């Protein structure tokens, strides 16, 4: 396994690989890898000849006052984990390599970024789509793999790929959870033991929503009321949003009469966590 930090070197490696007929899978990450990331990598390993991961804490997707500086980083540990799943190349550029002086181009996906995290983090998705578009041009993958935990991110990237004609297959992988149900996230390391306990209410609320849906309820309001009740029963939680949306447009829906996503964002102590579950029409 090699680690590359220069855009030019990464592009040359990708070009040579393509010329020799090899397929490339990319798993973009911000590092501090966990089992969720490793499952994306295992999928990449299965689907392509060469597996490349990027490790880059992307400054443009963090808003003012967010956790850019304190975002957890541990390159040595990440390297060991990546090697363990057979990663071929880690692309780990510096911020100035990705955004040199004079940088001025951004990618903005309009409608699907308006709701949900787009409301409380208005510049976030512009940063995500910008860096992912750059990574696509640098790593030249045939396929790129993302987690479904960041559901709005996945929808946004699919829209960008479609609109900008990137010739890349986007694969979404179901959320990986801890044994007790907490969705895996690098930000879970911020949680104190009490906060971690309170954070379990997100997944428990999702289970409640699933049960209500299974009993035949289709009105969003009735489901959302119970979801909020469970989360608000914890002292350390502060809901940012709990919404039922069309799973393609991400607009709020009053009734689950099409593919839908229950999307949740909650501050637990000072840590903002997101989670979701989808409902299919015929379920
Ligand atoms: O999901 C993430 O870790 C990041 O948003 C991504 C896709 C690597 C872009 O920085």
């Amino acid at each position: 396994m090699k680690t590359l930090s220069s855009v030019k070197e990464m592009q040359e490696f990708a070009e040579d690989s393509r010329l020799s007929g090899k397929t490339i899978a990319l798993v973009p990450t911000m590092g501090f890898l966990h089992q969720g990331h490793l499952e994306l990598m295992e999928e990449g390993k299965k689907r392509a000849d060469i597996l490349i991961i990027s490790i880059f804490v992307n400054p443009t997707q963090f808003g003012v006052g967010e956790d850019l500086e304190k975002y957890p980083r541990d390159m040595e540990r990440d390297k060991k984990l990546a090697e363990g799943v057979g990663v071929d190349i880690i692309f780990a550029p510096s911020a100035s390599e990705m955004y040199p002086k004079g940088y001025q181009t951004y990618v903005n996906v309009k409608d699907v970024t308006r709701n949900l995290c787009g409301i409380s983090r208005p510049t976030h998705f512009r940063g995500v789509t910008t860096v992912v578009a750059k990574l696509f041009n640098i790593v030249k993958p045939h396929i790129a793999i993302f987690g479904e935990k960041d559901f709005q991110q996945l929808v946004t990237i699919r829209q960008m790929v479609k609109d900008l004609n990137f010739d890349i297959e986007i694969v979404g992988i179901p959320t990986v959870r801890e044994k007790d149900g907490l969705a895996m996230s690098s930000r879970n390391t911020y949680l104190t033991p009490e906060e971690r306990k309170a954070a379990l209410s997100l997944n428990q609320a999702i289970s409640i929503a699933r049960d209500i849906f299974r009993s035949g309820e289709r009105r969003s309001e009735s489901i959302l009321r119970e979801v909020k009740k469970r989360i608000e029963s914890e002292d350390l939680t502060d809901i940012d949003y709990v919404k039922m949306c069309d799973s393609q447009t991400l607009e709020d829906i009053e009734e689950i009469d099409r593919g839908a996503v229950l999307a949740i964002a909650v501050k637990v102590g000072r840590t903002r966590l997101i989670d979701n579950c989808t409902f299919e029409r015929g379920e």
Side-chain angles (χ1 to χ4, degrees):
M1 187 183 74
K2 259 190 172 169
T3 302
L4 302 178
S5 56
S6 126
V7 167
K8 190 157 179 286
E9 266 187 297
M10 186 65 254
Q11 282 176 322
E12 280 169 5
F13 177 90
E15 192 58 24
D16 289 348
S17 306
R18 278 184 165 254
L19 286 173
S20 59
K22 300 242 165 78
T23 53
I24 300 173
L26 169 66
V27 177
T29 83
M30 298 207 300
F32 212 71
L33 305 177
H34 51 67
Q35 188 56 34
H37 293 116
L38 301 186
E39 295 200 8
L40 307 185
M41 294 174 202
E42 274 155 16
E43 191 63 28
K45 196 75 199 155
K46 275 191 234 150
R47 287 179 178 246
D49 301 319
I50 295 177
L51 174 58
I52 300 177
I53 70 165
S54 57
I55 296 184
F56 179 60
V57 182
N58 172 37
T60 62
Q61 71 189 73
F62 288 79
V64 178
E66 289 186 358
D67 56 343
L68 171 62
E69 278 79 31
K70 74 165 195 181
Y71 195 84
R73 294 159 169 91
D74 190 341
M75 189 52 104
E76 287 320 304
R77 180 176 159 275
D78 286 351
K79 279 185 182 169
K80 281 187 201 127
L81 289 170
E83 190 136 43
V85 288
V87 168
D88 296 291
I89 302 283
I90 297 180
F91 176 56
S94 64
S96 60
E97 180 72 3
M98 291 296 272
Y99 301 105
K101 206 161 169 265
Y103 187 87
Q104 46 189 303
T105 302
Y106 293 88
V107 178
N108 200 17
V109 177
K110 251 170 53 186
D111 297 344
V112 294
T113 64
R114 282 210 178 107
N115 199 1
L116 305 175
C117 291
I119 297 174
S120 39
R121 305 185 74 193
T123 57
H124 172 67
F125 289 110
R126 182 180 98 133
V128 170
T129 41
T130 298
V131 83
V132 170
K134 285 169 68 65
L135 290 168
F136 286 172
N137 285 329
I138 296 166
V139 175
K140 310 183 193 198
H142 296 82
I143 114 165
I145 303 162
F146 297 85
E148 286 175 0
K149 189 183 81 81
D150 298 297
F151 193 84
Q152 190 174 18
Q153 168 171 285
L154 181 58
V155 170
T156 302
I157 288 166
R158 284 192 199 283
Q159 187 68 45
M160 174 186 79
V161 163
K162 182 169 167 229
D163 290 347
L164 297 184
N165 309 103
F166 280 106
D167 190 11
I168 298 172
E169 183 191 352
I170 302 299
V171 176
I173 300 291
T175 303
V176 180
R177 296 180 183 278
E178 303 283 356
K179 274 205 189 86
D180 56 12
L182 182 66
M184 287 197 187
S185 162
S186 305
R187 289 190 167 98
N188 290 349
T189 52
Y190 298 151
L191 299 169
T192 65
E194 295 73 36
E195 288 167 354
R196 202 183 173 294
K197 244 181 167 176
L200 295 180
S201 62
L202 276 73
N203 183 49
Q204 287 162 1
I206 285 173
S207 299
I208 291 170
R210 282 212 169 283
D211 288 345
I212 302 174
F213 179 80
R214 258 185 236 120
S215 75
E217 181 61 82
R218 293 294 179 268
R219 286 165 303 170
S220 304
E221 200 190 328
S222 315
I223 299 175
L224 297 178
R225 192 185 322 118
E226 296 307 314
V227 168
K228 285 181 190 158
K229 205 160 105 188
R230 174 65 194 94
I231 297 170
E232 282 167 350
S233 71
E234 298 290 338
D235 289 340
L236 297 172
T237 58
D238 180 13
I239 293 177
D240 176 359
Y241 61 74
V242 169
K243 289 189 176 201
M244 192 68 74
C245 298
D246 180 308
S247 58
Q248 286 181 6
T249 65
L250 301 187
E251 281 164 7
D252 295 357
I253 54 175
E254 285 181 7
E255 207 182 311
I256 308 180
D257 53 2
R258 65 201 100 163
V261 58
L262 165 65
I264 300 177
V266 177
K267 266 196 145 182
V268 184
R270 296 178 65 185
T271 306
R272 188 174 178 281
L273 300 176
I274 56 172
D275 207 339
N276 71 78
C277 77
T278 54
F279 299 98
E280 297 312 322
R281 233 181 116 191
E283 246 183 283

